[in-house]
Amino acid sequence: VGDDARVRDVEPGRVLADLRHLAELTGGPGGSRRLAWTGEWTRAREWLGGQLGEIGLALEADEAGNLWAELPGERDEVALFGSHLDSVPAGGWLDGALGVLAALEVLRACAGTKPPRTVGLVDFADEEGARFGHSLFGSSALAGTLDAAAAAGLRDAEGRRLEDVVGEHGVRLAEAVGAARRRKRLASFLELHIEQGPVLEAEGLPVAPVRGTVGVERERAVFTGEAAHAGSTPMDRRHDAGLAAAGLARDVAEIAREAGGVGTVGAIAMQPGVATAVAGRAEALVDLRHADGEALAAMRAGVHEAAAARAEAEGCTVEHEPIWRIEPRAFDAEIVAAAREVCAAAGGRSEPLTSGALHDAAEVAPHVPTAMLFCPSIRGLSHTPEEDTAEADLLAAVAAYGALARRLIER
Amino acid sequence: VGDDARVRDVEPGRVLADLRHLAELTGGPGGSRRLAWTGEWTRAREWLGGQLGEIGLALEADEAGNLWAELPGERDEVALFGSHLDSVPAGGWLDGALGVLAALEVLRACAGTKPPRTVGLVDFADEEGARFGHSLFGSSALAGTLDAAAAAGLRDAEGRRLEDVVGEHGVRLAEAVGAARRRKRLASFLELHIEQGPVLEAEGLPVAPVRGTVGVERERAVFTGEAAHAGSTPMDRRHDAGLAAAGLARDVAEIAREAGGVGTVGAIAMQPGVATAVAGRAEALVDLRHADGEALAAMRAGVHEAAAARAEAEGCTVEHEPIWRIEPRAFDAEIVAAAREVCAAAGGRSEPLTSGALHDAAEVAPHVPTAMLFCPSIRGLSHTPEEDTAEADLLAAVAAYGALARRLIER
């Protein structure tokens, strides 16, 4: 390593070639097949290790199955880059893989140099949670928020326990939060990801800074009325739980619009659930998201109020079962400011987006100065084989990411 | 048989005792167990045969598995009485059985006499259709509307074919419509049944005449939008099929109220059906009923119009898949008029009800002068072990039924 060797610019075309190679290696017409804790996921990670080997670096697993690589700099503090290689079943080629392979390219751009900060890559384990329903597995271990006892008993569709399956991949679940020791050397974290939404495509912009992730309140609203014969029960003598749940679905959308957040009823389950019976019970799955914690709390209160009114109007009762929640996570103001500059310079968006989806960066953000960049998703699609981004947008986004990475490394 | 022997009054207490005996024989804490084409159903029918044997009569099966008994009168034309002994699984003790055992009591009241008309009893086979999804099996064979080819391939939950199962009970499916030959001697048909709705209980009345059965239009409204991430898709960029279906559920209720009919969305199925996704597809099960055919057609048109508007508002499309339909069936004006008199005399309702549920009588009505009487259902409940009717109401209803039966026999 010559003292005068300088960090080079990333070459976006190499990231595109790597993504295509990985898609061939672990994908097909049915989409990507990098489900966490499977042989194909392992194959993808071994291939990543091979690529790092070509620049003299090696991958190291932590207690939670996250993979790390490091290129030593003048200082011990680490400018970290990465995302996740795992995918949902029949998912897309970019979700997660883009951020890991862009990080690989940052290391390539640094190879043979001794940059001011140490440069790190991370491939977080099981971001999707598609197999056991536990999202952000590896990054929550790094954050120290992983609840190993709760996770232990989760089972996949074949009935296998999470604890046993991760054990086959060298992870002792009870010790997974040991990964948190890695946090103390981290000076920054940057993640490039597809938007998984329609905003950037609609605006015709290739890249955007992200200011944080939204808070989420996920609950089940359970209406109880009285099942009755659909033919012989007059309209004014019904206690139709399904009608109340349908009304709440409309209210959720209205409340979200007014609050400037998003709100979704993704399923309504009615019982007995047949054409010939008024529903005696109906469950609505409610998902509310907002960038602002107070606004999110107000949305939740509004939904509870609306549910009570719908229940009363139909002669039913309602209860709310919490499913999952997370507060809004703001990214680092300084890095976001730098991200705005590189995105604007690349012809992208200057005003930051708030991510409505969750990412590993949301787990890292409370502990390490963090930011993300988004590139467009065609038709907003993700978690499907149709997931795609225009080539020119991918190239522009990786270039902007590389420019921001250089700033973080050379700080 | 003495020429001067007169038809006696029915003794309602005997019907109550028979019903209780049958409930013990083929029921329990889990409800009645007289599912059609099972051993317990056969046992109930054998017991009925034994009761008829005590007054010197015998049961005879027709081509569709309906059971008939006949007490010869002066004329060959038959005043027919009956209903069905089969029940839904874990059903109530009265649905169907009440009408058969009341008919048995009419025969008992005639035993030893030679009434003006021949007096018949029928126990229709598989009214409920609970096992194969084919309601009104035996009565539709009598009516000549049974589609044997379509019924042949129906399977029960264990995968057994209707054709094979009825074959084990002596019914050759292809020949079942041969039962229609029985129609030509029928001069009238009268069926006593529980209301299976809340109207009579609310009015505190023990019995009511029924003027006919409603028409039914049953369809599946299928909305197609675009599945999208519930977090990253702004409200104004969604094509939420679930939201359109929920809106339609509200519209169906409103349209039914305005039309004076009933309308029910008993289930909404969303895809992918998870908390984290906007539904790209949603199916609403729509059941519309009205006593008037034109009003029913207008309801259906109104629902289609509403569905189109909901689809457009959410950026979706909608299609309607017909499931099943039947036109309103009016009962015989003369018998209904007589029914009003006996019900009023019994302290019951004089204004006839229209049945929102279907019954064997609806199949018989186009061919034979027909009417029904209803007695109350506590809390409107049926098809559940909780199904019940106050003892005093049962006694009053059977007495009114007996009075009307005498008029039909002595015509």
Side-chain angles (χ1 to χ4, degrees):
Chain A
V1 175
D3 280 356
D4 56 351
R6 294 218 41 211
V7 170
R8 294 171 298 280
D9 286 338
V10 297
E11 294 182 27
R14 287 202 295 212
V15 176
L16 209 60
D18 283 347
L19 282 165
R20 286 179 178 144
H21 184 85
L22 184 65
E24 244 175 70
L25 188 71
T26 58
S32 66
R33 302 180 302 241
R34 297 185 302 276
L35 189 62
W37 321 109
T38 65
E40 290 195 302
W41 177 60
T42 302
R43 192 176 313 153
R45 303 182 110 193
E46 286 169 354
W47 172 82
L48 175 66
Q51 294 300 303
L52 286 162
E54 291 186 12
I55 52 170
L57 300 179
L59 281 171
E60 185 193 352
D62 69 15
E63 293 83 344
N66 302 312
L67 296 183
W68 301 78
E70 211 171 283
L71 183 142
E74 286 170 15
R75 301 198 297 279
D76 201 35
E77 64 187 32
V78 178
L80 183 67
F81 304 90
S83 188
H84 60 95
L85 281 182
D86 73 294
S87 76
V88 298
W93 67 307
L94 297 171
D95 181 356
L98 172 61
V100 175
L101 300 189
L104 167 65
E105 179 58 20
V106 168
L107 288 186
R108 283 195 190 118
C110 297
T113 76
K114 186 155 189 165
R117 277 179 173 166
T118 295
V119 183
L121 173 149
V122 64
D123 167 26
F124 284 115
D126 201 357
E127 190 267 353
E128 299 288 1
R131 184 159 167 197
F132 294 98
H134 189 301
S135 300
L136 308 175
F137 179 87
S139 51
S140 68
L142 181 73
T145 57
L146 177 69
D147 182 343
L154 296 174
R155 290 172 189 275
D156 67 11
E158 291 169 2
R160 304 204 57 213
R161 296 174 70 239
L162 181 142
E163 182 164 21
D164 299 335
V165 170
V166 302
E168 291 168 10
H169 289 260
V171 173
R172 299 175 59 136
L173 185 58
E175 294 167 16
V177 289
R181 71 185 162 82
R182 299 241 169 197
R183 275 184 349 224
K184 61 176 179 296
R185 285 177 56 229
L186 302 181
S188 66
F189 177 58
L190 181 65
E191 183 173 6
L192 174 62
H193 206 280
I194 53 169
E195 181 196 339
Q196 305 180 286
V199 178
L200 283 178
E201 186 191 41
E203 296 177 348
L205 300 175
V207 63
V210 183
R211 67 160 68 82
T213 56
V214 296
V216 183
E217 292 281 357
R218 194 175 298 157
E219 301 188 327
R220 192 175 281 112
V222 182
F223 293 91
T224 305
E226 190 163 71
H229 195 294
S232 50
T233 313
M235 299 307 289
D236 61 356
R237 296 195 185 277
R238 296 182 171 201
H239 304 273
D240 189 337
L243 208 47
L248 183 64
R250 306 287 310 173
D251 297 335
V252 162
E254 193 53 37
I255 287 166
R257 271 189 205 102
E258 281 175 16
V262 292
T264 309
V265 170
I268 294 177
M270 300 192 199
Q271 283 175 352
V274 296
T276 53
V278 174
R281 180 184 164 98
E283 301 182 359
L285 262 184
V286 179
D287 183 282
L288 307 173
R289 303 186 190 213
H290 202 289
D292 178 78
E294 281 181 27
L296 179 61
M299 280 174 71
R300 179 168 174 271
V303 166
H304 284 211
E305 202 177 314
R310 292 291 188 179
E312 195 186 346
E314 306 301 337
C316 298
T317 59
V318 64
E319 290 181 8
H320 300 272
E321 300 174 354
I323 299 175
W324 187 71
R325 68 179 310 279
I326 190 171
E327 70 277 15
R329 296 273 167 91
F331 291 154
D332 182 74
E334 216 171 310
I335 306 181
V336 172
R340 296 177 67 150
E341 291 173 19
V342 300
C343 287
R349 204 176 206 265
S350 128
E351 181 63 20
L353 295 173
T354 301
S355 175
L358 287 169
H359 296 285
D360 292 312
E363 286 287 0
V364 180
H367 306 285
V368 179
T370 291
M372 294 184 76
L373 296 185
F374 275 171
C375 67
S377 294
I378 292 176
R379 291 170 59 212
L381 297 176
S382 185
H383 287 195
T384 159
E386 297 166 279
E387 171 189 287
D388 206 1
T389 302
E391 186 176 316
D393 290 342
L394 281 174
L395 296 174
V398 172
Y401 173 82
L404 182 55
R406 177 193 287 273
R407 292 208 202 180
L408 293 168
I409 293 165
E410 295 184 341
R411 270 220 245 192
Chain B
V1 176
D3 280 353
D4 55 350
R6 295 221 35 214
V7 170
R8 295 171 298 280
D9 287 336
V10 297
E11 296 182 26
R14 286 203 294 212
V15 177
L16 209 61
D18 283 346
L19 281 165
R20 286 180 179 144
H21 185 85
L22 185 64
E24 242 174 73
L25 188 71
T26 58
S32 65
R33 303 179 301 240
R34 299 186 300 277
L35 188 63
W37 322 109
T38 64
E40 291 197 301
W41 177 59
T42 303
R43 192 176 314 154
R45 302 182 111 195
E46 285 170 355
W47 173 83
L48 176 65
Q51 295 301 304
L52 287 162
E54 292 187 9
I55 53 171
L57 301 179
L59 281 171
E60 185 193 353
D62 69 14
E63 293 84 344
N66 302 313
L67 296 182
W68 301 78
E70 211 171 282
L71 185 143
E74 287 169 15
R75 300 197 297 278
D76 201 34
E77 62 187 34
V78 178
L80 183 67
F81 304 90
S83 188
H84 59 96
L85 281 181
D86 73 295
S87 75
V88 298
W93 66 308
L94 297 171
D95 180 356
L98 172 61
V100 175
L101 300 188
L104 167 65
E105 178 59 21
V106 169
L107 287 186
R108 284 194 190 117
C110 298
T113 76
K114 188 157 189 165
R117 278 179 171 166
T118 295
V119 183
L121 172 149
V122 64
D123 167 26
F124 285 113
D126 200 357
E127 190 266 354
E128 298 289 0
R131 184 161 168 196
F132 294 97
H134 189 302
S135 299
L136 307 175
F137 179 86
S139 51
S140 67
L142 181 73
T145 57
L146 177 68
D147 182 344
L154 295 174
R155 290 173 189 274
D156 67 9
E158 290 169 3
R160 304 203 58 211
R161 296 174 69 239
L162 182 143
E163 182 164 22
D164 298 336
V165 170
V166 302
E168 291 169 7
H169 289 260
V171 173
R172 297 174 59 135
L173 185 58
E175 294 168 17
V177 290
R181 71 185 163 82
R182 299 242 169 197
R183 278 185 344 226
K184 61 177 181 296
R185 286 178 55 230
L186 302 182
S188 65
F189 177 58
L190 181 64
E191 183 173 5
L192 174 62
H193 206 281
I194 53 169
E195 180 195 340
Q196 305 181 285
V199 176
L200 282 177
E201 186 191 42
E203 296 176 348
L205 299 174
V207 63
V210 182
R211 67 161 67 82
T213 56
V214 296
V216 182
E217 292 280 358
R218 196 175 296 156
E219 302 187 327
R220 195 176 279 113
V222 183
F223 292 91
T224 304
E226 189 164 72
H229 195 294
S232 51
T233 313
M235 300 307 290
D236 61 356
R237 296 195 185 279
R238 296 183 172 200
H239 304 274
D240 190 337
L243 208 47
L248 182 65
R250 306 287 311 173
D251 297 336
V252 162
E254 192 55 37
I255 288 166
R257 270 190 206 103
E258 281 175 16
V262 291
T264 308
V265 170
I268 294 177
M270 300 193 199
Q271 286 174 348
V274 295
T276 53
V278 174
R281 180 183 164 97
E283 301 182 0
L285 263 183
V286 179
D287 184 281
L288 307 174
R289 304 186 188 213
H290 202 289
D292 178 77
E294 281 181 29
L296 180 60
M299 279 174 72
R300 180 168 172 271
V303 167
H304 284 212
E305 202 176 315
R310 292 292 187 179
E312 195 186 344
E314 306 301 337
C316 299
T317 59
V318 64
E319 289 180 10
H320 301 272
E321 299 174 355
I323 298 174
W324 186 70
R325 67 180 310 279
I326 189 170
E327 70 277 16
R329 297 273 167 90
F331 291 154
D332 182 74
E334 214 171 311
I335 306 182
V336 172
R340 295 177 67 151
E341 292 173 17
V342 301
C343 288
R349 206 175 204 265
S350 126
E351 180 65 18
L353 295 173
T354 301
S355 175
L358 287 167
H359 297 285
D360 290 313
E363 286 287 359
V364 180
H367 307 283
V368 179
T370 291
M372 293 184 76
L373 297 185
F374 275 171
C375 67
S377 295
I378 292 176
R379 290 171 60 213
L381 297 177
S382 185
H383 286 194
T384 157
E386 297 166 279
E387 172 190 286
D388 204 2
T389 302
E391 185 174 318
D393 291 341
L394 280 175
L395 296 174
V398 171
Y401 173 83
L404 182 55
R406 177 193 287 274
R407 293 209 201 178
L408 293 169
I409 293 165
E410 296 184 342
R411 269 222 245 193

